[in-house]
Amino acid sequence: RGTNGGLPAVISTLKELAPAAEQIGQLVLVENHAGNVLENIGDYEEIFAAIDSPNVGLCLDTGHFVGAGVDLDEVIRKFHARTLHLDLKDTEAFGKYRTVHYGTGAVDLHRCVKQLLAHGYSGYLLLEQAPPLSKDTLLADLKRGYEMFKVYER
C-alpha cells in the first residue's frame, strides 16, 4: 500500500481506461488484495466516486476481503451494483489472509453468493484456490468447490 503512486495512480489509470473500455465493450475489473493498494471499502469508495463507468467494476475476492478484516456484508451492501465478478476463496480467519480449503475457513461463501444474487448479480462465480494449498490436492479442491457451488448454475 502507498507505493508506486498508490490509490491515486490506480484512479488516474482507470480514468484513462474507462472510455476505451466503454467504446469496445470491455470490462475493467479491480480486485482487492489483503495488504495491497486495493484492500478495503474506502479504497473502492474513492474509485467509484471518481469513475462512473458501467465498464469499471469490482472483482470481489471473498478471501482477500475477509483476510484483510473487511466485512463482506458491508462490501455487498455498498458495491453490489458495481460487482462484476466474484472470486470464491476461503481464508483462515477474519483479519488473517491465508487460503484454506473451501468451507473450512472464515468466509461464509454461500451467504455472499446468495446476497449478491438477491441484488441481481448475474456474473461469474470463479473458484480460486491459491497457495499455500498443495498442487497435489488442487484438482480435489476445485472439485469440492464445484460441488459446493453447482446449485447456483443457470
Side-chain angles (χ1 to χ4, degrees):
R1 290 188 63 87
T3 62
N4 297 321
L7 189 57
V10 170
I11 291 171
S12 176
T13 301
L14 290 171
K15 282 182 177 181
E16 290 183 39
L17 289 174
E22 290 172 15
Q23 186 176 19
I24 64 172
Q26 185 69 46
L27 297 179
V28 177
L29 303 173
V30 286
E31 181 177 351
N32 57 300
H33 275 257
N36 212 318
V37 174
L38 305 177
E39 180 181 36
N40 58 51
I41 288 173
D43 299 332
Y44 287 95
E45 287 174 334
E46 285 190 51
I47 289 170
F48 296 141
I51 300 159
D52 185 24
S53 170
N55 292 64
V56 176
L58 172 61
C59 174
L60 193 162
D61 186 308
T62 57
H64 277 290
F65 269 130
V66 172
V70 177
D71 181 359
L72 276 181
D73 290 346
E74 186 176 358
V75 170
I76 293 166
R77 268 193 309 277
K78 287 183 178 265
F79 305 121
H80 61 85
R82 298 297 295 264
T83 300
L84 302 177
H85 190 89
L86 179 60
D87 280 2
L88 296 167
K89 188 186 324 171
D90 211 344
T91 191
E92 186 174 299
F94 187 80
K96 182 176 181 183
Y97 177 73
R98 183 177 179 275
T99 303
V100 295
H101 302 282
Y102 290 109
T104 65
V107 183
D108 189 339
L109 294 163
H110 285 289
R111 177 182 173 92
C112 179
V113 172
K114 288 175 184 176
Q115 286 178 331
L116 281 170
L117 290 174
H119 284 290
Y121 179 77
S122 62
Y124 291 103
L125 303 180
L126 179 113
L127 298 174
E128 183 180 357
Q129 283 292 37
L133 297 180
S134 169
K135 290 179 186 177
D136 297 334
T137 65
L138 181 59
L139 186 57
D141 291 332
L142 292 174
K143 284 181 179 179
R144 176 186 172 136
Y146 174 73
E147 289 301 318
M148 287 177 67
F149 301 106
K150 71 181 182 181
V151 299
Y152 303 109
E153 285 183 329
R154 292 187 201 176

